[in-house]
Amino acid sequence: MTDAAAQGAHRARYRRIVSFAGREFLKIWWFELVLPRLGMSRVAERTRGQRMQTFARRFHVLAVELGGLMIKVGQFMSSRLDVLPPEITKELEGLQDEVPAVPTAAIRALAEAELGIPLERAYAWFDDTPVAAASLGQVHRARLSALDAADTGLGHVVVKVQRPGIDGIVAVDLAALRRVARWLTRVRLVADRVDAPALVEEFAATSLEEIDYLHEAASAERFRENFADDPRVAAPEIVWERSTRRVLTLSDVTAIKINDTDALRAAGIDPSEVAAVFAEVMFDQVFTHSFVHADPHPGNIFVTPVPAGAGESGRNFQLTFIDFGMMAEVPDSLRDGLRTLLIAVAGRDSRGLVAAAQEIGVLLPSADTNELERALSALFARFGGMGFAELSKVDPREFRDFAEEFGDMVRSLPLQLPENMLLLIRAVSLTSGMCSGLDPAFNVWDAAEPYAGRLLRDESGNIVQAFAGQAMDTMATTWRLPGRIDRIITRIDDGNVSFDTSRLERRLDRLEGIARRIASGVLFAALLVGGALLVPSLPPLGITLICVSALPLLHSVFAGVGRRGPR
């Protein structure tokens, strides 16, 4: 494709993404803002679920047709239970890399340009049939040359190659998403709940890391080092001499997919034991290494058989992780926030828990937290005194009913999860689902209990210090309070405190008039746009709305003319 053709394709792609978003915003604006102002909120409420599902289906189609980051956007949206309604997240949760493979000739050309030598020299054999094709790249099997095999001790490898032109596609997609985010900042209904630009930048950082294969290679090596002495875990080795930012060569560790229970049993491996070890390893990543594989879906985890009795405690398998493009760090700041959360939970302090959520960045500053504090108090009252074993015996229906009520309230808050917290929750969620599939009796509480207890013991000293600090602050404030109150009362007695409200009243009168004119302007725009949208399907109603829009326009323009009061 020539540069001119590529630029034309990029412009068309950008316009398609932006126009799709524009159409959907108009519909949301009409149903969620305009109709309620016209006294038709029931219409909006009755159709909301179906409209959200329809939007998700249309986006699914758009993502599959465009590929690139759009599929990643869909997957990202499906995990944002904190800011998106379940009608959208559920529809998109099954979105996968449903894209055709790139022709082998294009893959070969890109790989040779990156490696600087023909593939025949880089590899003794390169399979033209891809093992897997994704929106950002695809994977081929290969065999190292005799010289490279002697240097690395490896023979069979897999080669990840980026899709040609993916850098330009990613840049176009991010530009379109940033423009959409700017639109959202002007919609108060959205801006009060979601920091859209920050959300896009969070997604952009993750995506740019994912297409940098050198970054993935470094993450793979760090993961291998973390578990170097752990016989439960394995990871592929990197062939650095055959790896660049766009090409990644690593040892072929293909084995039994972790969710293939029939193959596991055929190999003499107990799926329930695999579930237990997998949960242990994932919690080790969170609490011990602070470096977590954030995309542990079945395609990224293999179960590799080992000679009977060779594994730890006589296990006959080990878990092999691949694809380290999406990793979650647990930085000190997040650990401090989690410590504050533990203090609040230990003290059954709902207000302290909300403050901790704000410290971590889960709640935006505009959040009205009164309802959340009441819900957390109810949560502590019902479940707060229970240990993990007791919680596991609670009727699941009670959990479900409480979660539905609690979830509706949480989604109404301006709440979003910081990147690291989101990836951690994604990892734990995928782990729980995977383990339940391997062992129907699996209980995530049992797996988490030892790690939660250890973390509490490690932080116990800091918790005591924090409680002491809070007590000292409270005592200091209480000590200074009588003197402050006395000074205020003295100023009032001396007549030094007075209030003049006349200017305020005049300004309020002017603001009230301006507010009426603004409301008329909004109503005019709503009727005009709504009428234009309805003309194709319901011409009489659409034309009527357009004509009626003239009334609020006249009021907005001429109201208050000739009525100037003193300032």
Side-chain angles (χ1 to χ4, degrees), residues 47 279 393 489:
T47 62
K393 297 176 183 177
I489 293 175

Side-chain angles (χ1 to χ4, degrees), residues 5-118:
Q7 291 176 3
H10 288 167
R11 284 194 294 269
R13 181 184 184 91
Y14 179 88
R15 286 194 297 268
R16 187 171 178 189
I17 295 171
V18 171
S19 62
F20 174 87
R23 288 194 302 270
E24 295 302 324
F25 284 163
L26 273 178
K27 294 174 186 176
I28 293 172
W29 176 71
W30 174 254
F31 281 98
E32 302 297 336
L33 295 178
V34 176
L35 290 185
R37 289 178 181 271
L38 298 178
M40 302 173 68
S41 56
R42 289 186 178 180
V43 175
E45 294 173 1
R46 187 173 63 250
T47 62
R48 184 175 293 119
Q50 183 60 42
R51 286 187 287 108
M52 294 296 102
Q53 288 181 348
T54 301
F55 160 77
R57 292 193 190 104
R58 288 175 178 168
F59 183 84
H60 189 132
V61 173
L62 177 76
V64 172
E65 289 180 358
L66 292 181
L69 283 189
M70 290 300 101
I71 286 180
K72 298 296 180 183
V73 170
Q75 294 171 341
F76 188 77
M77 290 167 62
S78 71
S79 67
R80 291 317 300 245
L81 303 175
D82 53 324
V83 297
L84 294 175
E87 291 84 0
I88 292 178
T89 57
K90 186 174 182 179
E91 184 69 30
L92 295 177
E93 66 184 4
L95 184 63
Q96 300 297 326
D97 289 318
E98 305 166 22
V99 293
V102 177
T104 305
I107 288 292
R108 280 179 167 272
L110 187 147
E112 290 177 349
E114 282 291 305
L115 297 174
I117 57 175

